């Protein structure tokens, strides 16, 4: 999924230079992928049988590989848009099925173990970035897509035997707890959290789409792809590390810190330039974008707001769709203005996180049978990055 969804970022400059893809069309391809991801996530949410189907998982894996392999065969923006739309749908289904399986089978294991597993998204980003970095000097944009399809096919072979989440057993009685799922007056905190996470979706995706192209405007070509490799490498351990930090500091505090660091990382290539700024930017961005999802989704679950994970995921997905559209008018002057806009949006999300800290209910009253256990531990399954997103499928 990391390859299928994110390889477009390092290939985008090659398509600009060799395939005649305009900046606006590049933004449209990105938007199509995010629309597809939203469609796939909603399908997994409202059709829970999909999440438990090995056939759907394997079909999505094969279809994602096919969508990558078909990119160099198409020669019109319309076909590219349709292929990236499909890649988004298949990526989302793969994520939801794999995440639900992971959380189900590792339910009683330490929280950092699922965190490391979700680092696979970062590993896919790093591998695809390394692939394009090697090919850019000897190949074409078509070769980059073919190679990414071959890489995804190899990973598909490894993932083929993944067991989806088993069907749930009989639901326990909820007598006495119905109607008490939202906790004591958590609406105002949840609204602030939703605003912050939606803004993060906008800012994060602008940087995630155009960071490589922006870096290559002022640095040697290999620096952009190299920075994308660093983004992936930094993302691999970030999930487990943010989960570990959550045992010492509150989620609103960590969310504020992560968003602030991310805003700095996004702005660096536009304000400073140079190789050092590009590489530092990659590390800061890669180490925070998964962590922000970890913290926001876990905070929403802690607030016990009805359908918290589904609402947060929807807001984040809508933000990702809006991001390239909002940035598109700025692309006529290069990518630096788009990065500054992204940093400003993420900084606004950080300000919302600052508001979230005010009076945040760190200790929620126990519910149902949990009331018999003093100081119950939080649901560790939701401490892994983007892990809570998969719970929306249940």
């Amino acid at each position: 999924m990391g390859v299928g969804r994110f390889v477009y970022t390092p290939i985008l400059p090659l398509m600009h230079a060799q395939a005649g893809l305009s900046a606006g069309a590049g933004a449209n391809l990105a938007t199509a992928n995010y629309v597809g991801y939203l469609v796939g996530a909603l399908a997994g949410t409202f059709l829970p049988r999909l999440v438990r189907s090995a056939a759907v998982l394997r079909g999505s894996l094969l279809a994602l590989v096919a969508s990558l392999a078909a990119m160099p065969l198409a020669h019109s923006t319309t076909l590219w848009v349709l292929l990236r739309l499909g890649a988004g749908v298949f990526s989302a289904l793969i994520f939801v099925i794999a995440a639900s399986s992971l959380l189900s089978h590792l339910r009683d294991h330490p929280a950092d173990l699922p965190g490391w597993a979700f680092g696979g998204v970062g590993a896919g980003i790093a591998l695809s970035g390394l692939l394009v970095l090697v090919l850019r000097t000897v190949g074409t944009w078509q070769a980059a897509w073919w190679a990414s399809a071959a890489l995804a096919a190899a990973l598909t072979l490894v993932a083929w035997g993944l067991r989806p989440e088993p069907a749930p057993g009989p639901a326990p009685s909820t007598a006495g707890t119905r109607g008490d799922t939202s906790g004591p007056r958590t609406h105002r905190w949840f609204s602030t959290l939703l605003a912050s996470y939606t803004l993060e979706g906008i800012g994060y995706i602008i940087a995630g789409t155009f960071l490589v192209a922006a870096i290559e405007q002022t640095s040697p070509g290999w620096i952009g792809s190299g920075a994308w490799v660093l983004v992936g490498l930094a993302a691999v351990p970030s999930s487990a590390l943010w989960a570990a930090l959550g045992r010492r500091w509150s989620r609103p505090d960590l969310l504020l810190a992560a968003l602030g660091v991310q805003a700095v990382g996004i702005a660096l290539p536009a304000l400073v330039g140079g190789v050092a700024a590009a590489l530092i930017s990659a590390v800061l961005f890669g180490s925070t974008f998964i962590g922000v999802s970890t913290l926001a989704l876990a905070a929403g679950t802690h607030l016990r707001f009805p359908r918290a994970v589904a609402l947060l995921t929807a807001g984040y997905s809508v933000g990702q769709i809006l991001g390239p559209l909002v940035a598109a008018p700025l692309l006529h002057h290069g990518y630096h203005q788009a990065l500054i806009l992204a940093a400003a949006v993420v900084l606004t999300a950080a300000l919302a996180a600052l508001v979230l800290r005010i009076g945040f209910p760190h200790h929620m009253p126990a519910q149902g049978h949990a009331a018999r256990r003093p100081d119950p531990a939080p649901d560790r399954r939701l401490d892994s990055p983007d892990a809570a997103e998969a719970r929306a499928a249940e």
Side-chain angles (χ1 to χ4, degrees):
M1 180 269 200
V3 175
R5 190 170 182 219
F6 293 103
V7 72
Y8 174 68
T9 297
I11 293 180
L12 177 60
L14 293 178
M15 295 188 72
H16 283 327
Q18 301 174 9
L21 185 71
S22 67
N28 291 337
L29 264 65
T31 300
N33 187 250
Y34 309 139
V35 170
Y37 191 82
L38 176 59
V39 171
L42 291 176
T45 298
F46 295 108
L47 299 173
R49 289 186 179 181
L50 295 178
V51 181
R52 304 182 183 99
S53 171
V56 172
L57 171 64
R58 293 173 178 177
S60 297
L61 290 167
L62 294 175
L64 182 59
V65 173
S67 73
L68 298 173
M71 285 293 289
L73 300 178
H75 296 283
S76 74
T77 302
T78 300
L79 291 177
W80 287 333
V81 165
L82 292 176
L83 287 171
R84 292 310 292 163
L85 178 71
V89 175
F90 304 132
S91 295
L93 288 173
I94 290 168
F95 175 80
V96 172
I97 295 173
S100 297
S101 171
L102 176 69
L103 298 174
S104 172
H105 293 125
L106 296 182
R107 193 180 302 272
D108 298 322
H109 289 72
D112 62 334
L113 187 59
W116 285 106
F118 278 97
V121 175
I125 292 173
L127 287 173
S128 60
L130 183 62
L131 194 67
V132 177
L133 178 62
V134 172
L135 288 175
R136 67 178 296 117
T137 58
V138 295
T140 62
W141 68 272
Q142 293 100 326
W145 282 111
W146 282 115
S148 67
L151 174 60
L155 294 171
T156 293
L157 293 176
V158 180
W160 196 256
L162 180 68
R163 294 176 298 143
E165 178 186 19
S173 173
T174 58
T177 62
R178 192 179 306 275
D180 187 37
T181 58
S182 61
R185 296 186 297 276
T186 61
H187 293 72
R188 72 180 182 90
W189 289 290
F190 183 80
S191 297
T192 304
L193 177 64
L194 178 61
S196 177
Y197 197 46
T198 301
L199 289 168
E200 159 67 2
I202 296 173
Y204 139 77
I205 210 60
I206 294 174
T209 303
F210 302 119
L211 182 64
V212 172
I215 290 173
E216 291 189 358
Q217 281 189 323
T218 56
S219 301
W222 65 271
I223 294 296
S225 295
W228 193 242
V229 174
L230 274 182
V231 168
L233 291 176
V236 172
S238 67
S239 164
L241 293 178
W242 284 107
L245 290 174
R247 302 189 186 99
R248 294 180 175 268
W249 290 279
S250 73
R251 292 186 181 107
D253 287 338
L254 291 174
L255 187 62
L256 172 62
L259 289 168
V261 170
Q262 187 180 115
V264 172
I266 293 173
L268 267 179
L271 298 179
V272 179
V275 175
L279 299 182
I280 293 172
S281 168
V283 172
L284 296 181
F285 180 70
S287 61
T288 53
F289 78 91
I290 292 182
V292 168
S293 292
T294 303
L295 298 165
L297 294 172
T301 303
H302 169 78
L303 290 172
R304 297 178 190 162
F305 194 85
R307 301 289 291 169
V309 171
L311 289 171
L312 288 169
T313 301
Y316 190 67
S317 298
V318 170
Q320 290 181 94
I321 294 170
L322 293 176
L325 298 177
V326 171
L330 302 176
L331 300 182
H332 300 293
H333 307 287
Y335 294 99
H336 287 176
Q337 291 184 12
L339 288 189
I340 292 175
L341 171 64
V345 173
V346 172
L347 188 60
T348 305
L351 294 177
L354 180 63
V355 175
L356 181 68
R357 294 178 68 251
I358 302 174
F360 186 84
H362 298 288
H363 302 285
M364 298 290 288
Q367 290 177 293
H369 299 293
R372 301 174 186 174
R373 299 193 302 267
D375 191 23
D379 187 347
R380 298 168 64 170
R381 294 173 297 164
L382 296 174
D383 283 337
S384 55
D386 283 339
E389 180 175 335
R391 306 315 302 174
E394 295 188 346

